[in-house]
Amino acid sequence: KSLDDALERHPRNGRILVDDYLRVKGYEGSIWACGDAAVNEDGPPLPQLAQVARQQGIYLSSIFNGKQKEDEKPFHFFSLGSMAYVGDMKGIYDGTKVGEPGKEIKNPRITGLLALLMWRFAYWGRQTSLVNKVLIPMHWFKSFLFGRDISRF
């Protein structure tokens, strides 16, 4: 019997069941799960987005690095809203549900060039390497001048 078969799964979506501290049920203290692979039945449903997985990763790193005990403080997701580039130098930002689920702060929806600039600065600011921080604006400029490269090999 493999570990994959031994883990408790959600009956509807097959995701691994975790508690409030992202510990796999039945394996508390030895196995954790996060991101799209994990679901907490007792907490609010979390969207399957990169911002959830990133916050869960930061939370787990503080546990693994000994900055907090594994059951000291439960994981809480803080939504930053949703952003998207929709083409033609336009973007959208939906900030109507920013904050913890159930305690959201109402912010406006923003569209157009301002939303695109917000999306690009947010994306660029999340890059961790200097190489990416230099190359990404260069790719954006190239796309602006020549259009998207749609060729295939």
Side-chain angles (χ1 to χ4, degrees), residues 25-105:
K25 290 193 176 182
Y27 295 90
E28 289 85 352
S30 60
I31 302 176
W32 287 261
C34 66
D36 295 355
V39 64
N40 181 358
E41 286 184 309
D42 303 326
L46 300 178
Q48 293 180 296
L49 299 173
Q51 64 176 302
V52 175
R54 180 180 182 277
Q55 289 178 32
Q56 288 175 333
I58 291 169
Y59 172 83
L60 288 176
S61 73
S62 68
I63 292 171
F64 297 154
N65 290 324
K67 293 180 181 173
Q68 79 176 43
K69 293 184 174 100
E70 70 179 68
D71 58 357
E72 181 179 332
K73 183 175 77 172
F75 173 75
H76 291 287
F77 170 62
F78 188 92
S79 174
L80 302 172
S82 296
M83 297 178 155
Y85 171 61
V86 293
D88 200 28
M89 294 300 287
K90 294 179 184 163
I92 55 173
Y93 169 69
D94 181 8
T96 56
K97 293 190 177 180
V98 172
E100 286 187 37
K103 303 176 190 172
E104 290 96 353
I105 302 165

Side-chain angles (χ1 to χ4, degrees), residues 136-148:
I136 287 172
M138 293 172 72
H139 289 295
W140 288 338
F141 184 68
K142 181 185 80 168
S143 294
F144 175 75
L145 283 181
F146 304 112
R148 273 187 43 212

Side-chain angles (χ1 to χ4, degrees), residues 126-140:
R126 293 284 185 206
Q127 300 306 307
T128 56
S129 76
L130 181 61
V131 172
N132 282 351
K133 285 196 175 202
V134 171
L135 287 177
I136 287 172
M138 293 172 72
H139 289 295
W140 288 338

Side-chain angles (χ1 to χ4, degrees), residues 4-10 15-17 24-27 41:
D4 188 44
D5 297 330
L7 299 176
E8 270 191 80
R9 302 283 183 152
H10 190 277
R15 295 164 71 187
I16 299 168
L17 293 177
V24 173
K25 290 193 176 182
Y27 295 90
E41 286 184 309

Side-chain angles (χ1 to χ4, degrees), residues 109-122:
R109 288 188 174 119
I110 300 171
T111 60
L113 181 62
L114 178 60
L116 172 66
L117 292 174
M118 288 173 57
W119 179 86
R120 286 198 169 174
F121 280 114

